[in-house]
Amino acid sequence: MTQRKGIILAGGTGSRLFPITGAVSKQLMPIYDKPMIYFPLSVLMLAGIREIAVITTPGDRAQFERLLGDGSQWGLEMTYIGQPSPDGLAQAYLLAEDFLAGAPSVMVLGDNIFFGHGLPELLAAADARTTGGTVFGYRVADPQRYGVVAMDGDGTVTGIVEKPAEPPSNYAVTGLYFLDASASERARTITPSARGELEITSLLQTYLDEGSLSVQQMGRGYAWLDTGTHASLLDAGNFVRTLQSRQGLQAGCPEEIAYEQGWIDSAQLNSLADRYSKTEYGAYLKRLLKEG
């Protein structure tokens, strides 16, 4: 099987977060003690993905490159792709077509945060599917804001509806998509919606029509946060702060994941820890080395 590649969609104007995103990309805003993009990046790393493309605006690209570099510090290979205009989530598969080069992919939205015991196993199960696609449904109180899963009486998925006025269920589709090698080809066949965008729901519908789309439910043991509003941005920061303060463990820490995956050794981790020597983040990395 061709190794799956990762995509982080970090484009857009961040207009819902103005004025704080007037000069800085939304995905570079802080979630407590680290940049937002560290969290979706960590999800891809937990899925075993080492070749990752960041899709962002031409104006923001240099900021992401300065933060993430070529990825080698974490044992990754980072690629940067410009998004001239935000024309829908499915556009990512057209922009990344050369990067994917026929490989299956996992795309995560740059403003989504996932956390929960068993997350690596959930990701591994989705990665193991060699054909079709896998997305994740998460129960929310306000499904009108999301793409929503429609199900019949026995729980079989019958459709995915984008931001419905009357939601067919309370299960939103999260911003995490495992798709096979045909994703880019399929993206070329869909037409813009009434709002002029290539909708991810339209792309997923092509898989659903063939019976090749799996929708896995994330239960109560998982947290899925989307940080598209000022309130949700603050909520996410408080969530991470509470979690880390209570457990003494980091969430969204690429250095820790890379070390545990064996992509970097103890000397490399120590060098990264020295870089953050004046912070609790650096002290945490030093503790990882001490505890083995």
Side-chain angles (χ1 to χ4, degrees):
M1 174 184 171
T2 304
Q3 180 66 39
R4 197 179 293 270
K5 296 182 180 181
I7 301 169
I8 302 176
L9 186 52
T13 61
S15 58
R16 286 188 298 164
L17 288 175
F18 280 172
I20 60 175
T21 51
V24 179
S25 170
K26 171 175 65 174
Q27 293 83 8
L28 293 173
M29 297 299 296
I31 301 297
Y32 184 47
D33 62 347
K34 56 185 73 71
M36 185 188 297
I37 197 171
Y38 271 30
F39 292 90
L41 174 64
S42 294
V43 170
L44 296 182
M45 294 174 71
L46 287 172
I49 307 299
R50 300 183 69 175
E51 290 184 67
I52 299 171
V54 176
I55 298 178
T56 187
T57 67
D60 291 326
R61 177 172 175 164
Q63 294 178 334
F64 285 98
E65 290 181 327
R66 186 162 61 248
L67 175 68
L68 306 175
D70 63 3
S72 60
Q73 70 273 29
W74 301 312
L76 306 175
E77 294 179 30
M78 302 296 299
T79 297
Y80 299 90
I81 300 172
Q83 182 187 35
S85 60
D87 296 325
L89 302 187
Q91 180 195 27
Y93 294 95
L94 301 179
L95 297 173
E97 187 168 14
D98 289 344
F99 163 75
L100 293 174
S105 63
V106 51
M107 182 171 77
V108 60
L109 303 188
D111 62 356
N112 276 215
I113 296 172
F114 296 88
F115 186 83
H117 177 70
L119 181 60
E121 291 77 15
L122 193 70
L123 299 173
D127 182 51
R129 292 192 71 216
T130 57
T131 59
T134 300
V135 295
F136 301 90
Y138 190 90
R139 186 178 177 87
V140 295
D142 52 351
Q144 298 90 342
R145 292 180 53 210
Y146 305 97
V148 179
V149 178
M151 295 177 281
D152 61 20
D154 63 3
T156 300
V157 177
T158 58
I160 300 174
V161 188
E162 184 66 28
K163 296 180 175 62
E166 298 183 7
S169 78
N170 281 88
Y171 283 91
V173 178
T174 72
L176 181 61
Y177 314 92
F178 283 76
L179 300 182
D180 65 14
S182 68
S184 295
E185 182 180 350
R186 291 171 185 268
R188 285 198 301 272
T189 69
I190 65 176
T191 56
S193 65
R195 59 178 186 164
E197 295 191 359
L198 298 177
E199 307 287 357
I200 191 69
T201 46
S202 300
L203 178 58
L204 297 177
Q205 188 67 43
T206 69
Y207 286 96
L208 189 59
D209 290 343
E210 296 176 358
S212 62
L213 182 70
S214 172
V215 181
Q216 302 296 316
Q217 290 188 14
M218 286 184 169
R220 292 189 176 191
Y222 295 94
W224 170 52
L225 306 174
D226 117 37
T227 54
T229 66
H230 298 101
S232 59
L233 185 67
L234 179 62
D235 288 344
N238 286 331
F239 173 80
V240 170
R241 179 182 182 274
T242 301
L243 190 73
Q244 293 182 172
S245 298
R246 181 68 172 170
Q247 294 188 321
L249 300 172
Q250 282 283 331
C253 179
E255 292 85 359
E256 180 177 16
I257 299 170
Y259 184 54
E260 290 184 345
Q261 296 273 36
W263 299 343
I264 61 174
D265 58 25
S266 57
Q268 290 168 296
L269 181 61
N270 187 62
S271 177
L272 291 169
D274 287 341
R275 180 181 178 186
Y276 305 119
S277 61
K278 296 182 179 180
T279 68
E280 175 55 34
Y281 193 80
Y284 177 78
L285 298 181
K286 288 289 188 179
R287 287 199 299 274
L288 290 179
L289 286 166
K290 184 177 180 181
E291 295 169 2

